[in-house]
Amino acid sequence: MSTTHTQAPKRLKKRHLALASAVASVAGIFMLGLPLQEVAAKRIELPLEMELSDRAQEWLPSLNQTTASTREKMIDIQGGDTLAAVFERAGVGVGQMYQMLSFLSTEEKKIITDLHPDHKLHFQLDPETDKLLALRLERSPIDSTLITYHKEDQAYQVSDLTREPEYHFAYKEGTIESTLFSAGERAGLTRATMMRLAEIFAWDIDFALDIRPGDTFRVVYREEFVDGYKYRDGDILVAQVTIQGQTYTGIRYQDSQDEIAYYTPEGKSMRKAFLRNPVDFYRISSNFQPERYHPVLGVKRPHRGVDFAASIGTPIKSVGKGKIVSLGWKGGYGRTVVIQHGGQYSTLYAHMSRYQKGLKAGDSVKQGQVIGYVGKSGLVTGPHLHYELRVNGVHKNPRTVELPKAEPIAAAEKTRFLRYSESMMSSIQGYALASQLAQAHAQLMATKGREEQTL
Ligand SMILES: [Zn+2]
């Protein structure tokens, strides 16, 4: 069986199941609530006498039962919980927590103390001495951090456990009546999936302004299953949106270097070098105007940017990859960030309530990176983002200016991509036809019912 690799969070990649020497903790993993098949599937390297084969699954449960030398506790994390509070609740002395933490690096401490209400902490204790033998922070059914006590070193060691979910394909389609989100809800898609859909087409479609009733969407995505239960909806593999008669298609493609991006069926990037808007949820409160009366000063003054009205604290994103050339108070602009993108383009973001923590002039930023938050600093009447775009030093209307495209699929990848693209296009069309068939059949059955009633 070949294994597929998904993009795991960075910190999990480095020490992915670094359990090779963890003989003592093998029983611990089982006791900490991980199903056996999963551990077997992960092919953890074990000493010979404990090598896991298919047969191992038969005898491991009994081993599990006879290893009655541990005591287990599971604590659900609640809002505002600290690690110390959870240790208290588990009846494990805080002294043991400090002892354990003393073996951890600053980074590891941060990971294990970052508790959220949907997390669980599993304790494994020696029943006689109450010594903490293992602690597992379960962030989700697929993502845990494990800390185990190693008798031979008399030390605690940290490892990450990631589980590969099982993928099932799913298809949904819908017709927009008012908003994209309500249409998604009716189709049975989660908000997270609809956000992903909007993101794929963000460069081509402004879902706040462009959509009309009757516009449609189709999505092939994958559902992630763990232990036979659906864990969540995952990545969109291919999506189509038809807006005012024009159809846009985005195909998720993982290239030979494991880089993932969405492309048109022909292999053009779905992205542009610049985002159209630096905020997600907004209303345009003032457009780019060469001449206008300034609302505060009451004098004629050109408006060389676009105002996005949004609530205080709305994240502001850098529209493109670049370098921060200034970050600070700029007179009537208030808290302002200016970013240079290559030689020709620069963007300005004003009236922020605060900057993104840790950012300073000279820093590089990625496209979409949050640089600050909407506010009303400087000369303003209400909270909004004032956004400017300059091309070779000249102010341009960011909402109408022609923006350069991001790189298309690499030439070396073209053949591989086109083959994949073709099969994805057939898939989504096949799903759409199957759905049409089901609807036609349901309609037929419904009319039959009515005719029978009128007889
Ligand atoms: Zn403005």
Side-chain angles (χ1 to χ4, degrees), residues 25-246:
S25 71
V26 168
I29 301 164
F30 304 135
M31 300 299 280
L32 289 175
L34 275 179
L36 301 167
Q37 313 87 287
E38 195 55 38
V39 177
K42 285 288 181 195
R43 299 200 192 291
I44 300 171
E45 288 172 44
L46 297 168
L48 271 179
E49 68 269 25
M50 285 200 68
E51 197 169 304
L52 293 172
S53 62
D54 288 348
R55 283 206 57 218
Q57 288 177 35
E58 295 163 21
W59 58 263
L60 274 170
S62 58
L63 172 80
N64 202 347
Q65 280 152 22
T66 53
T67 328
S69 58
T70 59
R71 194 157 64 82
E72 299 229 19
K73 278 190 177 171
M74 195 272 283
I75 306 284
D76 283 309
I77 307 299
Q78 289 157 18
D81 258 345
T82 60
L83 193 61
V86 180
F87 265 69
E88 294 278 8
R89 218 155 60 239
V92 183
V94 180
Q96 292 221 57
M97 180 193 79
Y98 287 118
Q99 209 209 340
M100 177 196 81
L101 289 176
S102 71
F103 289 98
L104 272 48
S105 69
T106 314
E107 190 58 31
E108 289 168 340
K109 274 182 207 153
K110 241 187 238 163
I111 290 169
I112 203 72
T113 52
D114 184 23
L115 302 177
H116 294 265
D118 52 343
H119 293 172
K120 292 178 171 69
L121 263 183
H122 301 259
F123 292 82
Q124 190 186 86
L125 307 163
D126 183 314
E128 276 157 35
T129 61
D130 258 355
K131 169 94 186 156
L132 180 65
L133 298 178
L135 181 72
R136 181 162 72 92
L137 172 60
E138 183 186 347
R139 277 177 294 270
S140 78
I142 59 164
D143 176 20
S144 289
T145 296
L146 181 70
I147 302 178
T148 43
Y149 182 70
H150 293 259
K151 278 192 188 128
E152 58 276 31
D153 316 329
Q154 299 196 344
Y156 287 96
Q157 274 178 23
V158 182
S159 51
D160 291 315
L161 287 172
T162 51
R163 304 177 63 197
E164 191 76 22
E166 214 175 280
Y167 296 116
H168 295 216
F169 297 110
Y171 171 81
K172 297 268 160 58
E173 58 179 32
T175 302
I176 294 163
E177 280 170 17
S178 53
T179 69
L180 181 69
F181 284 105
S182 60
E185 209 169 27
R186 274 199 315 278
L189 288 164
T190 61
R191 223 183 143 77
T193 303
M194 295 315 281
M195 291 289 282
R196 285 188 196 118
L197 180 72
E199 251 166 53
I200 295 168
F201 298 102
W203 279 265
D204 295 303
I205 303 163
D206 186 329
F207 284 100
L209 302 171
D210 296 343
I211 56 169
R212 301 282 178 273
D215 288 342
T216 58
F217 63 85
R218 298 166 169 175
V219 189
V220 178
Y221 61 103
R222 53 187 186 187
E223 297 175 320
E224 300 180 3
F225 282 72
V226 177
D227 301 336
Y229 291 95
K230 185 165 139 184
Y231 157 54
R232 65 179 177 191
D233 289 337
D235 295 312
I236 291 176
L237 300 179
V238 50
Q240 273 186 332
V241 177
T242 301
I243 301 288
Q244 300 183 49
Q246 196 177 345

Side-chain angles (χ1 to χ4, degrees), residues 286 292 303 305-307 351 384-387:
S286 179
R292 72 149 188 188
H303 190 237
V306 174
D307 290 347
H351 309 313
H384 72 271
L385 165 70
H386 170 89
Y387 167 58

